[in-house]
Amino acid sequence: MESAPHPPSTSARADSAVGLAFVGAVLLALFACGGLGVLATVEAARRPPAPPPRAALPPVPVALRERIFARFKELVLLRQIALRERDPLLLGSVYAPGAPGLAADRAEIDRLRRAGQRLDGLRLPVRVFNAYRPGGGRWVVIARMRRSPAVLVSEQGRPLGTVAGSVDVCRCTLVSRGGRWMLSRCT
């Protein structure tokens, strides 16, 4: 005599539900990750391609690099003296003709002279990080250039106020003019 099939127990039904929930969660996670992968691929395709690697610059002898470092520091010191003494002619030995910095420094000197003021205590300390030759008879110097706070004084030396200092990391181009390296551009 055959007996009727036994109805499944409640614990077996609970185990089946847990198993189905687990399978559903795994499938949901897989679909979500797949969708994110597609989005990442589409976003990467929209980006412009990376620039090709730059050709290695030829090695520069250490002594030559040190001379460029020293000349750059000398140019910054001459600029400091020109600004502090309000001497626009001295800027001619710092900047190459037509350099943007030349016009800006001359304008600052003219403004100080017209107002009868000086920048007392102005210093332009510089720290050179690197220098390389990109070609075309130029040098590029990477440096941190500071401008110290200075006291704005009258012709008689009476303090009128202070001028804030600043710090910039600059990429400065040096060009040879008349056998001397001069500043062409700083960005």
Side-chain angles (χ1 to χ4, degrees), residues 149-162:
V151 178
L152 193 62
V153 297
S154 67
E155 292 284 349
Q156 296 77 27
R158 185 173 42 94
L160 302 171
T162 59

Side-chain angles (χ1 to χ4, degrees), residues 15-105:
D15 287 344
S16 294
V18 168
L20 284 175
F22 177 74
V23 169
V26 168
L27 287 174
L28 182 64
L30 285 173
F31 283 122
C33 289
L36 289 174
V38 168
L39 286 176
T41 305
V42 168
E43 183 62 31
R46 288 183 191 163
R47 286 188 211 131
R54 294 174 80 187
L57 297 172
V60 177
V62 174
L64 180 56
R65 184 184 308 245
E66 291 298 321
R67 282 199 325 238
I68 291 297
F69 284 10
R71 176 60 180 162
F72 181 74
K73 290 176 182 179
E74 180 183 316
L75 291 170
V76 173
L77 178 61
L78 288 171
R79 179 175 177 251
Q80 170 186 304
I81 294 167
L83 290 172
R84 203 168 45 203
E85 300 301 320
R86 303 176 311 171
D87 184 355
L89 297 177
L90 191 54
L91 293 174
S93 61
V94 174
Y95 291 104
L102 176 61
D105 284 352

Side-chain angles (χ1 to χ4, degrees), residues 109-159:
I109 288 172
D110 287 343
R111 188 175 57 252
L112 288 168
R113 282 182 159 196
R114 279 193 312 271
Q117 300 170 342
R118 294 182 176 278
L119 294 170
D120 191 33
L122 176 68
R123 289 187 357 266
L124 303 175
V126 63
R127 179 172 179 211
V128 179
F129 296 122
N130 195 8
Y132 61 91
R133 291 181 102 159
R138 298 174 295 145
W139 276 92
V140 173
V141 176
I142 310 297
R144 181 182 66 217
M145 298 177 65
R146 290 183 43 220
R147 184 174 174 141
S148 70
V151 178
L152 193 62
V153 297
S154 67
E155 292 284 349
Q156 296 77 27
R158 185 173 42 94

